[in-house]
Amino acid sequence: MTKKIKITYLRGATKFLKKNSSVITENEVDMLIIKFVKKRFFGADINIDYKQMSGKLKSFYRIRRGKIRIIVEVVDDEIIIEIIINDIGIRGDI
């Protein structure tokens, strides 16, 4: 089954990437998102650190790379996985 991935960056995530391009780039975030989707939805054996949030935030996941945290919301229907990148930040700030 083929799925399409739609990645949307919200304003806070875009601002963080512009200010911290030396720490992490948009391309690196995109690659982390693709790895996350492959592991979470297709069961690929890929090394990526992610965790599903709990409680009211069940549709959100935290992806970790070093001190960087990426908070994503997954809206999954049968054809498109929509990834909304809500926030990116340094551990402790997010």
Side-chain angles (χ1 to χ4, degrees):
M1 175 197 247
T2 303
K3 289 193 177 203
K4 294 181 181 179
I5 301 172
K6 178 183 174 191
I7 300 174
T8 306
Y9 286 83
L10 294 184
R11 189 170 179 221
T14 304
K15 281 178 72 173
F16 180 86
L17 288 172
K18 284 183 182 176
K19 288 182 180 178
N20 298 287
S21 61
S22 63
V23 178
I24 192 166
T25 65
E26 188 173 334
N27 287 338
E28 291 172 324
V29 173
D30 289 346
M31 291 306 297
L32 287 170
I33 297 299
I34 291 168
K35 284 182 177 182
F36 161 72
V37 169
K38 284 181 179 179
K39 184 164 185 160
R40 169 66 179 84
F41 294 101
F42 300 107
D45 188 20
I46 297 174
N47 187 15
I48 183 164
D49 185 2
Y50 78 90
K51 182 177 181 179
Q52 185 172 16
M53 307 297 259
S54 61
K56 294 179 183 177
L57 303 175
K58 266 242 185 274
S59 65
F60 290 86
Y61 291 83
R62 184 265 299 138
I63 300 172
R64 186 176 85 172
R65 184 176 149 244
K67 291 186 176 184
I68 300 294
R69 303 297 186 264
I70 303 167
I71 306 298
V72 298
E73 181 179 11
V74 177
V75 182
D76 186 19
D77 58 21
E78 292 304 311
I79 300 164
I80 298 175
I81 299 171
E82 183 174 358
I83 305 289
I84 302 170
I85 301 174
N86 288 358
D87 209 354
I88 301 174
I90 306 293
R91 180 180 179 267
D93 293 341
I94 191 164

Coordinates of all heavy atoms in Angstrom, one line a residue:
M1 N 0.8 -1.2 0.0 CA 0.0 0.0 0.0 C 0.9 1.2 0.0 O 1.8 1.4 0.8 CB -0.9 0.0 1.2 CG -1.7 1.2 1.4 SD -2.4 1.4 3.0 CE -4.1 1.2 2.7
T2 N 0.7 2.1 -0.9 CA 1.4 3.3 -1.0 C 0.7 4.5 -0.3 O -0.5 4.6 -0.4 CB 1.6 3.7 -2.5 OG1 2.1 2.7 -3.2 CG2 2.4 5.0 -2.7
K3 N 1.5 5.2 0.5 CA 1.0 6.3 1.2 C 1.8 7.5 0.8 O 3.0 7.4 0.6 CB 1.1 6.1 2.7 CG 0.1 5.1 3.3 CD 0.1 5.2 4.8 CE -0.9 4.2 5.3 NZ -1.5 4.6 6.6
K4 N 1.2 8.7 0.8 CA 1.8 9.9 0.6 C 2.1 10.6 2.0 O 1.3 10.4 2.9 CB 1.0 10.8 -0.3 CG 0.8 10.3 -1.7 CD 0.0 11.3 -2.5 CE -0.2 10.7 -3.9 NZ -1.0 11.6 -4.7
I5 N 3.2 11.3 2.0 CA 3.5 12.0 3.3 C 3.4 13.5 3.0 O 4.1 14.0 2.0 CB 4.9 11.7 3.8 CG1 5.0 10.2 4.0 CG2 5.2 12.5 5.0 CD1 6.4 9.7 4.3
K6 N 2.7 14.2 3.8 CA 2.6 15.7 3.7 C 3.2 16.3 5.0 O 2.7 16.0 6.0 CB 1.1 16.1 3.5 CG 1.0 17.6 3.4 CD -0.5 18.0 3.4 CE -0.6 19.5 3.4 NZ -2.0 19.9 3.6
I7 N 4.2 17.1 4.8 CA 4.9 17.6 6.0 C 4.6 19.1 6.0 O 4.9 19.8 5.0 CB 6.4 17.4 5.9 CG1 6.7 15.9 5.9 CG2 7.1 18.1 7.1 CD1 8.2 15.6 5.7
T8 N 4.1 19.6 7.1 CA 3.7 21.0 7.3 C 4.5 21.6 8.5 O 4.4 21.0 9.6 CB 2.2 21.2 7.5 OG1 1.5 20.6 6.5 CG2 1.8 22.7 7.6
Y9 N 5.2 22.7 8.3 CA 6.0 23.3 9.4 C 5.1 24.5 9.9 O 4.7 25.3 9.1 CB 7.3 23.9 8.9 CG 8.3 22.8 8.6 CD1 8.4 22.1 7.4 CD2 9.3 22.6 9.5 CE1 9.3 21.2 7.2 CE2 10.3 21.6 9.3 CZ 10.3 20.9 8.1 OH 11.3 20.0 7.9
L10 N 4.8 24.5 11.2 CA 4.1 25.6 11.8 C 5.1 26.7 12.0 O 6.4 26.6 11.9 CB 3.4 25.2 13.0 CG 2.3 24.2 12.9 CD1 1.6 24.0 14.2 CD2 1.2 24.7 11.9
R11 N 4.6 27.9 12.3 CA 5.5 29.1 12.4 C 6.6 29.0 13.4 O 7.7 29.4 13.1 CB 4.6 30.3 12.8 CG 5.3 31.6 12.7 CD 4.3 32.7 12.9 NE 5.0 34.0 12.8 CZ 4.7 35.0 13.6 NH1 3.7 34.9 14.5 NH2 5.4 36.1 13.5
G12 N 6.3 28.4 14.6 CA 7.4 28.3 15.6 C 8.5 27.4 15.2 O 9.7 27.7 15.4
A13 N 8.2 26.3 14.5 CA 9.2 25.4 14.0 C 10.1 26.1 12.9 O 11.3 26.0 12.9 CB 8.6 24.2 13.4
T14 N 9.4 26.9 12.0 CA 10.1 27.6 11.0 C 11.1 28.6 11.5 O 12.2 28.8 11.1 CB 9.1 28.2 10.0 OG1 8.2 27.2 9.5 CG2 9.8 28.9 8.8
K15 N 10.6 29.4 12.6 CA 11.4 30.4 13.2 C 12.7 29.7 13.9 O 13.8 30.2 13.7 CB 10.6 31.1 14.3 CG 9.7 32.2 13.7 CD 8.9 32.9 14.7 CE 9.8 33.8 15.6 NZ 9.0 34.6 16.6
F16 N 12.5 28.6 14.5 CA 13.6 27.9 15.2 C 14.6 27.5 14.1 O 15.8 27.7 14.3 CB 13.1 26.7 16.0 CG 14.2 26.0 16.6 CD1 14.7 26.4 17.9 CD2 14.9 24.9 16.0 CE1 15.7 25.7 18.5 CE2 15.9 24.2 16.6 CZ 16.4 24.6 17.9
L17 N 14.2 26.9 13.0 CA 15.1 26.5 12.0 C 15.9 27.7 11.4 O 17.1 27.5 11.1 CB 14.4 25.7 10.9 CG 13.9 24.3 11.3 CD1 13.0 23.7 10.2 CD2 15.0 23.4 11.6
K18 N 15.2 28.8 11.2 CA 16.0 30.0 10.7 C 17.0 30.5 11.6 O 18.1 30.8 11.2 CB 15.0 31.1 10.3 CG 14.2 30.8 9.1 CD 13.2 32.0 8.8 CE 12.4 31.7 7.5 NZ 11.5 32.7 7.2
K19 N 16.7 30.5 12.9 CA 17.7 31.0 13.9 C 18.8 30.0 14.2 O 19.8 30.4 14.6 CB 16.9 31.3 15.2 CG 16.1 32.5 15.1 CD 15.4 32.8 16.5 CE 14.5 34.0 16.5 NZ 13.9 34.3 17.7
N20 N 18.5 28.7 14.0 CA 19.4 27.7 14.5 C 19.9 26.8 13.3 O 20.0 25.6 13.5 CB 18.8 26.8 15.6 CG 18.5 27.7 16.8 OD1 19.4 28.0 17.5 ND2 17.2 28.0 17.0
S21 N 20.1 27.3 12.2 CA 20.5 26.5 11.0 C 21.8 25.8 11.2 O 22.1 24.8 10.5 CB 20.5 27.4 9.7 OG 21.4 28.4 9.9
S22 N 22.6 26.3 12.1 CA 23.9 25.6 12.3 C 23.7 24.4 13.2 O 24.6 23.5 13.2 CB 24.9 26.5 13.0 OG 24.4 26.9 14.3
V23 N 22.6 24.3 13.9 CA 22.3 23.2 14.8 C 21.6 22.0 14.1 O 22.0 20.9 14.1 CB 21.5 23.6 16.0 CG1 21.1 22.4 16.9 CG2 22.2 24.7 16.8
I24 N 20.6 22.4 13.3 CA 19.8 21.4 12.5 C 19.1 22.2 11.4 O 18.7 23.3 11.5 CB 18.7 20.7 13.4 CG1 18.1 19.5 12.7 CG2 17.7 21.7 13.9 CD1 17.4 18.6 13.6
T25 N 19.1 21.5 10.2 CA 18.6 22.1 9.0 C 17.2 21.5 8.7 O 16.9 20.5 9.2 CB 19.5 22.0 7.8 OG1 19.6 20.6 7.5 CG2 20.9 22.5 8.1
E26 N 16.5 22.2 7.8 CA 15.2 21.6 7.4 C 15.3 20.3 6.7 O 14.5 19.4 6.9 CB 14.5 22.6 6.5 CG 13.1 22.3 6.2 CD 12.3 23.3 5.4 OE1 12.6 24.5 5.5 OE2 11.4 22.9 4.7
N27 N 16.4 20.1 5.9 CA 16.6 18.8 5.3 C 16.9 17.7 6.3 O 16.4 16.6 6.1 CB 17.8 18.9 4.3 CG 17.5 19.7 3.1 OD1 16.4 19.8 2.7 ND2 18.5 20.2 2.4
E28 N 17.6 18.0 7.4 CA 17.8 17.0 8.4 C 16.5 16.7 9.1 O 16.3 15.5 9.4 CB 18.9 17.5 9.4 CG 20.3 17.7 8.9 CD 21.2 18.4 9.8 OE1 20.8 19.3 10.5 OE2 22.4 17.9 9.8
V29 N 15.7 17.7 9.4 CA 14.4 17.4 10.0 C 13.5 16.5 9.1 O 12.9 15.6 9.5 CB 13.7 18.7 10.3 CG1 12.2 18.5 10.8 CG2 14.4 19.5 11.4
D30 N 13.5 16.9 7.8 CA 12.8 16.1 6.8 C 13.2 14.6 6.8 O 12.4 13.7 6.8 CB 12.9 16.6 5.4 CG 12.1 18.0 5.2 OD1 11.3 18.3 6.1 OD2 12.4 18.6 4.2
M31 N 14.5 14.4 6.9 CA 15.1 13.0 6.9 C 14.7 12.3 8.2 O 14.3 11.1 8.1 CB 16.6 13.0 6.8 CG 17.1 13.5 5.4 SD 16.4 12.5 4.0 CE 17.0 10.9 4.3
L32 N 14.7 13.0 9.3 CA 14.2 12.4 10.5 C 12.7 12.0 10.5 O 12.3 11.0 10.9 CB 14.4 13.3 11.7 CG 15.9 13.5 12.2 CD1 16.0 14.7 13.2 CD2 16.4 12.2 12.8
I33 N 11.9 12.9 9.8 CA 10.5 12.6 9.7 C 10.3 11.4 8.8 O 9.4 10.5 9.1 CB 9.8 13.8 9.1 CG1 9.9 15.0 10.0 CG2 8.3 13.5 8.8 CD1 9.3 14.9 11.4
I34 N 11.0 11.3 7.7 CA 10.9 10.1 6.8 C 11.3 8.8 7.6 O 10.6 7.8 7.5 CB 11.7 10.3 5.6 CG1 11.1 11.4 4.7 CG2 11.9 9.0 4.8 CD1 11.9 11.9 3.6
K35 N 12.4 8.9 8.3 CA 12.8 7.7 9.1 C 11.7 7.3 10.1 O 11.4 6.2 10.3 CB 14.1 8.0 9.9 CG 15.3 8.0 9.0 CD 16.5 8.2 9.9 CE 17.8 8.1 9.1 NZ 19.0 8.3 10.0
F36 N 11.1 8.4 10.8 CA 10.0 8.2 11.8 C 8.9 7.5 11.1 O 8.3 6.5 11.7 CB 9.6 9.5 12.4 CG 8.3 9.5 13.0 CD1 8.1 8.8 14.2 CD2 7.2 10.1 12.5 CE1 6.8 8.8 14.8 CE2 6.0 10.1 13.1 CZ 5.8 9.5 14.2
V37 N 8.4 7.9 10.0 CA 7.3 7.4 9.3 C 7.6 5.9 8.9 O 6.7 5.0 9.0 CB 6.9 8.2 8.0 CG1 5.9 7.5 7.2 CG2 6.3 9.5 8.5
K38 N 8.8 5.7 8.3 CA 9.1 4.3 7.9 C 9.1 3.3 9.1 O 8.6 2.2 9.0 CB 10.5 4.3 7.3 CG 10.6 4.8 5.9 CD 12.0 4.7 5.3 CE 12.0 5.2 3.9 NZ 13.4 5.2 3.4
K39 N 9.6 3.8 10.3 CA 9.6 2.9 11.4 C 8.3 2.8 12.1 O 7.8 1.7 12.4 CB 10.6 3.4 12.5 CG 10.8 2.5 13.7 CD 12.0 2.8 14.5 CE 12.1 1.7 15.6 NZ 13.4 1.7 16.1
R40 N 7.5 3.9 12.2 CA 6.3 3.9 12.9 C 5.2 3.2 12.1 O 4.4 2.4 12.6 CB 5.9 5.3 13.3 CG 4.4 5.5 13.8 CD 4.2 4.8 15.1 NE 2.9 5.0 15.6 CZ 1.8 4.3 15.2 NH1 1.9 3.3 14.3 NH2 0.6 4.5 15.7
F41 N 5.1 3.5 10.8 CA 4.0 3.0 10.0 C 4.3 1.8 9.2 O 3.4 1.1 8.8 CB 3.4 4.1 9.1 CG 2.8 5.2 9.9 CD1 3.5 6.4 10.2 CD2 1.5 5.1 10.5 CE1 3.0 7.4 11.0 CE2 1.0 6.1 11.2 CZ 1.7 7.3 11.5
F42 N 5.6 1.5 8.9 CA 5.9 0.4 8.0 C 6.8 -0.6 8.7 O 7.2 -1.6 8.1 CB 6.6 0.9 6.7 CG 5.7 1.9 5.9 CD1 6.0 3.2 5.9 CD2 4.6 1.4 5.3 CE1 5.1 4.1 5.2 CE2 3.8 2.2 4.5 CZ 4.1 3.6 4.5
G43 N 7.2 -0.4 10.0 CA 7.9 -1.3 10.7 C 9.3 -1.6 10.3 O 9.9 -2.6 10.6
A44 N 9.9 -0.6 9.6 CA 11.3 -0.7 9.1 C 12.3 -0.7 10.3 O 12.0 -0.1 11.3 CB 11.6 0.5 8.2
D45 N 13.3 -1.4 10.1 CA 14.4 -1.5 11.2 C 15.3 -0.4 11.0 O 16.4 -0.5 10.5 CB 15.1 -2.9 11.1 CG 16.0 -3.1 12.3 OD1 15.8 -2.5 13.3 OD2 16.9 -3.9 12.1
I46 N 14.9 0.8 11.6 CA 15.7 2.0 11.4 C 15.9 2.6 12.9 O 15.0 2.5 13.7 CB 14.9 3.1 10.6 CG1 14.7 2.6 9.2 CG2 15.6 4.4 10.6 CD1 13.8 3.5 8.3
N47 N 17.1 3.1 13.1 CA 17.4 3.6 14.4 C 17.0 5.1 14.5 O 17.7 6.0 13.9 CB 19.0 3.5 14.6 CG 19.3 3.9 16.0 OD1 18.5 4.0 16.9 ND2 20.6 4.1 16.2
I48 N 15.9 5.3 15.1 CA 15.4 6.7 15.4 C 14.7 6.7 16.8 O 14.0 5.7 17.1 CB 14.5 7.2 14.3 CG1 14.1 8.6 14.6 CG2 13.3 6.3 14.1 CD1 13.5 9.4 13.4
D49 N 15.0 7.7 17.5 CA 14.4 7.8 18.9 C 13.1 8.6 18.8 O 13.2 9.9 18.6 CB 15.4 8.5 19.8 CG 15.0 8.5 21.2 OD1 13.9 8.0 21.5 OD2 15.7 9.1 22.1
Y50 N 12.0 8.0 18.9 CA 10.7 8.7 19.0 C 9.9 8.1 20.1 O 10.1 7.0 20.5 CB 10.0 8.6 17.7 CG 9.3 7.3 17.4 CD1 8.0 7.1 17.7 CD2 9.9 6.3 16.7 CE1 7.3 5.9 17.5 CE2 9.3 5.1 16.4 CZ 8.0 4.9 16.8 OH 7.4 3.8 16.5
K51 N 8.9 8.9 20.6 CA 8.0 8.4 21.7 C 6.7 9.1 21.5 O 6.6 10.3 21.2 CB 8.6 8.9 23.0 CG 7.9 8.4 24.2 CD 8.6 8.8 25.5 CE 7.8 8.4 26.7 NZ 8.5 8.7 27.9
Q52 N 5.6 8.3 21.7 CA 4.3 8.8 21.6 C 4.0 9.5 22.9 O 4.3 9.0 24.0 CB 3.3 7.7 21.3 CG 1.9 8.2 21.1 CD 0.9 7.1 20.7 OE1 1.2 5.9 20.8 NE2 -0.2 7.5 20.2
M53 N 3.3 10.7 22.8 CA 3.0 11.5 23.9 C 1.7 10.8 24.6 O 1.1 9.9 23.9 CB 2.6 12.9 23.6 CG 3.7 13.6 22.8 SD 5.2 13.8 23.7 CE 5.1 15.5 24.2
S54 N 1.4 11.2 25.8 CA 0.3 10.5 26.5 C -0.8 11.5 26.8 O -0.7 12.7 26.6 CB 0.8 9.9 27.8 OG 1.3 10.9 28.6
G55 N -1.9 10.9 27.2 CA -3.1 11.8 27.6 C -3.8 12.4 26.4 O -4.0 11.7 25.4
K56 N -4.0 13.7 26.6 CA -4.7 14.4 25.5 C -3.9 14.6 24.3 O -4.3 15.0 23.2 CB -5.2 15.8 26.0 CG -6.2 15.7 27.1 CD -6.6 17.1 27.6 CE -7.6 17.0 28.7 NZ -7.9 18.3 29.2
L57 N -2.6 14.4 24.4 CA -1.6 14.6 23.3 C -1.3 13.3 22.6 O -0.2 13.1 22.0 CB -0.3 15.2 23.8 CG -0.5 16.5 24.6 CD1 0.8 17.0 25.2 CD2 -1.0 17.6 23.7
K58 N -2.2 12.3 22.6 CA -1.9 11.0 22.0 C -1.6 11.0 20.5 O -0.9 10.1 20.0 CB -3.2 10.1 22.1 CG -3.1 9.2 23.4 CD -3.1 7.8 23.1 CE -3.1 6.8 24.1 NZ -1.8 6.4 24.6
S59 N -2.0 12.0 19.8 CA -1.7 12.1 18.3 C -0.4 12.8 18.1 O 0.0 12.9 16.9 CB -2.8 12.8 17.6 OG -2.9 14.2 18.0
F60 N 0.3 13.1 19.1 CA 1.6 13.8 19.0 C 2.8 12.8 19.3 O 2.6 11.9 20.2 CB 1.7 15.0 20.0 CG 0.9 16.2 19.6 CD1 -0.5 16.2 20.0 CD2 1.4 17.2 18.9 CE1 -1.3 17.3 19.7 CE2 0.6 18.3 18.5 CZ -0.7 18.3 18.9
Y61 N 3.9 13.1 18.7 CA 5.1 12.3 18.9 C 6.3 13.2 19.2 O 6.3 14.3 18.6 CB 5.4 11.4 17.7 CG 4.4 10.3 17.5 CD1 3.2 10.5 16.9 CD2 4.7 9.0 18.0 CE1 2.3 9.5 16.7 CE2 3.8 8.0 17.9 CZ 2.6 8.2 17.2 OH 1.7 7.2 17.0
R62 N 7.2 12.8 20.0 CA 8.4 13.5 20.2 C 9.6 12.7 19.5 O 9.8 11.6 19.8 CB 8.7 13.6 21.7 CG 9.9 14.5 22.1 CD 11.2 13.7 22.3 NE 11.1 12.7 23.4 CZ 11.7 11.5 23.3 NH1 12.3 11.1 22.2 NH2 11.6 10.6 24.2
I63 N 10.3 13.4 18.6 CA 11.4 12.8 18.0 C 12.7 13.5 18.6 O 12.7 14.7 18.6 CB 11.4 13.0 16.4 CG1 10.1 12.4 15.9 CG2 12.6 12.5 15.8 CD1 9.9 12.7 14.4
R64 N 13.6 12.7 19.0 CA 14.8 13.2 19.6 C 16.1 13.0 18.8 O 16.3 11.9 18.3 CB 15.0 12.5 21.0 CG 16.1 13.1 21.8 CD 16.1 12.5 23.1 NE 16.9 11.3 23.0 CZ 17.3 10.5 24.0 NH1 16.9 10.8 25.2 NH2 18.0 9.4 23.8
R65 N 16.9 14.1 18.7 CA 18.2 14.0 18.0 C 19.1 14.8 18.9 O 19.1 16.0 18.8 CB 18.2 14.5 16.6 CG 19.5 14.3 15.9 CD 19.5 14.7 14.5 NE 20.9 15.2 14.2 CZ 21.1 16.4 13.9 NH1 20.2 17.3 13.7 NH2 22.4 16.8 13.6
G66 N 19.9 14.2 19.7 CA 20.8 14.9 20.6 C 20.0 15.7 21.6 O 19.1 15.2 22.3
K67 N 20.3 17.0 21.6 CA 19.5 17.9 22.5 C 18.3 18.5 21.8 O 17.6 19.3 22.5 CB 20.4 19.0 23.0 CG 21.5 18.5 24.0 CD 22.3 19.7 24.6 CE 23.3 19.2 25.6 NZ 24.0 20.2 26.3
I68 N 18.1 18.2 20.6 CA 17.0 18.8 19.8 C 15.8 17.9 20.0 O 15.9 16.6 19.9 CB 17.3 18.9 18.3 CG1 18.5 19.8 18.1 CG2 16.1 19.4 17.5 CD1 18.3 21.2 18.5
R69 N 14.6 18.5 20.2 CA 13.3 17.8 20.2 C 12.4 18.3 19.2 O 12.3 19.5 19.0 CB 12.6 18.0 21.6 CG 13.5 17.5 22.8 CD 13.8 16.1 22.8 NE 14.5 15.6 24.0 CZ 15.8 15.5 24.1 NH1 16.6 15.8 23.1 NH2 16.3 15.0 25.2
I70 N 11.8 17.4 18.4 CA 10.9 17.8 17.4 C 9.5 17.2 17.8 O 9.4 16.0 18.0 CB 11.3 17.2 16.0 CG1 12.7 17.7 15.7 CG2 10.3 17.6 14.9 CD1 13.3 17.0 14.5
I71 N 8.5 18.1 17.9 CA 7.2 17.6 18.3 C 6.3 17.6 17.0 O 6.2 18.6 16.3 CB 6.5 18.6 19.3 CG1 7.4 18.8 20.5 CG2 5.1 18.1 19.7 CD1 7.7 17.5 21.3
V72 N 5.8 16.4 16.7 CA 5.0 16.3 15.5 C 3.6 15.8 15.8 O 3.5 15.0 16.8 CB 5.7 15.4 14.4 CG1 7.0 15.9 14.0 CG2 5.9 14.0 14.9
E73 N 2.7 16.2 15.0 CA 1.3 15.7 15.1 C 1.0 14.8 13.9 O 1.3 15.3 12.8 CB 0.3 16.8 15.2 CG -1.1 16.3 15.4 CD -2.1 17.4 15.5 OE1 -1.8 18.6 15.3 OE2 -3.3 17.1 15.8
V74 N 0.5 13.6 14.1 CA 0.2 12.8 13.0 C -1.3 12.7 12.7 O -2.0 12.4 13.6 CB 0.8 11.3 13.2 CG1 0.4 10.4 12.1 CG2 2.3 11.4 13.5
V75 N -1.7 13.1 11.5 CA -3.1 12.9 11.1 C -3.1 11.9 10.1 O -2.6 12.1 8.9 CB -3.6 14.3 10.6 CG1 -5.1 14.1 10.2 CG2 -3.4 15.4 11.6
D76 N -3.5 10.7 10.4 CA -3.4 9.5 9.5 C -4.8 9.1 9.0 O -5.7 8.8 9.7 CB -2.8 8.3 10.3 CG -2.5 7.2 9.4 OD1 -2.4 7.3 8.2 OD2 -2.3 6.1 9.9
D77 N -4.9 9.2 7.6 CA -6.1 8.6 7.0 C -5.6 7.5 6.1 O -4.4 7.1 6.1 CB -7.0 9.6 6.3 CG -6.3 10.4 5.2 OD1 -5.2 9.9 4.8 OD2 -6.7 11.4 4.9
E78 N -6.4 6.9 5.2 CA -6.0 5.8 4.5 C -4.9 6.1 3.4 O -4.2 5.2 3.0 CB -7.2 5.1 3.8 CG -8.1 4.5 4.8 CD -7.5 3.4 5.7 OE1 -6.8 2.6 5.1 OE2 -7.6 3.5 6.9
I79 N -4.9 7.3 2.9 CA -4.1 7.6 1.7 C -2.9 8.5 2.1 O -1.8 8.4 1.6 CB -4.9 8.3 0.6 CG1 -6.0 7.3 0.2 CG2 -4.0 8.7 -0.6 CD1 -7.1 8.0 -0.6
I80 N -3.1 9.5 3.0 CA -2.1 10.5 3.3 C -1.8 10.5 4.8 O -2.7 10.5 5.6 CB -2.6 11.9 2.9 CG1 -2.8 12.0 1.4 CG2 -1.5 13.0 3.3 CD1 -3.4 13.3 1.0
I81 N -0.5 10.5 5.1 CA 0.0 10.7 6.5 C 0.4 12.2 6.5 O 1.3 12.6 5.8 CB 1.2 9.8 6.8 CG1 0.8 8.4 6.7 CG2 1.6 10.2 8.2 CD1 2.0 7.4 6.9
E82 N -0.4 13.0 7.3 CA 0.0 14.4 7.4 C 0.8 14.6 8.6 O 0.3 14.3 9.7 CB -1.3 15.3 7.4 CG -0.9 16.7 7.4 CD -2.2 17.6 7.3 OE1 -3.3 17.1 7.2 OE2 -2.0 18.8 7.4
I83 N 2.0 15.1 8.5 CA 2.9 15.4 9.6 C 2.9 16.9 9.8 O 3.3 17.6 8.9 CB 4.3 14.9 9.3 CG1 4.4 13.4 9.0 CG2 5.2 15.2 10.5 CD1 4.1 12.5 10.1
I84 N 2.4 17.3 11.0 CA 2.5 18.7 11.3 C 3.6 18.9 12.3 O 3.5 18.4 13.4 CB 1.1 19.2 11.8 CG1 0.0 18.9 10.8 CG2 1.2 20.7 12.2 CD1 -1.4 19.1 11.3
I85 N 4.6 19.7 12.0 CA 5.7 19.9 12.9 C 5.3 21.1 13.7 O 5.3 22.2 13.3 CB 7.0 20.1 12.1 CG1 7.3 18.9 11.3 CG2 8.1 20.4 13.1 CD1 8.5 19.0 10.4
N86 N 4.9 20.8 15.0 CA 4.4 21.9 15.8 C 5.5 22.7 16.4 O 5.4 23.9 16.5 CB 3.6 21.3 17.0 CG 2.3 20.8 16.5 OD1 1.9 20.9 15.3 ND2 1.5 20.2 17.4
D87 N 6.6 22.1 16.8 CA 7.6 22.9 17.5 C 9.0 22.1 17.4 O 9.0 20.9 17.4 CB 7.3 23.1 18.9 CG 7.9 24.4 19.5 OD1 8.7 25.1 18.7 OD2 7.6 24.8 20.6
I88 N 10.0 22.9 17.4 CA 11.4 22.3 17.4 C 12.1 23.1 18.5 O 12.0 24.4 18.5 CB 12.1 22.4 16.1 CG1 11.3 21.7 15.0 CG2 13.5 21.9 16.2 CD1 11.9 21.8 13.6
G89 N 12.9 22.5 19.3 CA 13.6 23.3 20.3 C 14.6 22.4 21.0 O 14.8 21.2 20.8
I90 N 15.4 23.1 21.9 CA 16.4 22.5 22.7 C 15.7 21.8 23.9 O 14.8 22.4 24.5 CB 17.4 23.6 23.2 CG1 18.0 24.3 22.0 CG2 18.5 22.9 24.0 CD1 18.9 23.5 21.1
R91 N 16.3 20.7 24.3 CA 15.8 20.0 25.5 C 15.7 21.0 26.7 O 16.6 21.7 27.0 CB 16.7 18.8 25.9 CG 16.3 18.1 27.1 CD 17.3 17.0 27.3 NE 16.9 16.2 28.5 CZ 17.3 16.5 29.7 NH1 18.1 17.4 29.9 NH2 16.8 15.7 30.7
G92 N 14.5 20.9 27.4 CA 14.3 21.8 28.5 C 13.5 23.1 28.1 O 12.8 23.6 28.9
D93 N 13.6 23.5 26.8 CA 12.9 24.7 26.4 C 11.6 24.3 25.8 O 10.7 25.1 25.5 CB 13.7 25.4 25.3 CG 14.9 26.1 25.9 OD1 15.0 26.2 27.2 OD2 15.9 26.4 25.2
I94 N 11.4 23.0 25.4 CA 10.2 22.6 24.7 C 9.4 21.6 25.5 O 9.9 20.9 26.3 CB 10.7 22.0 23.3 CG1 9.5 21.8 22.4 CG2 11.4 20.7 23.5 CD1 9.9 21.5 21.0

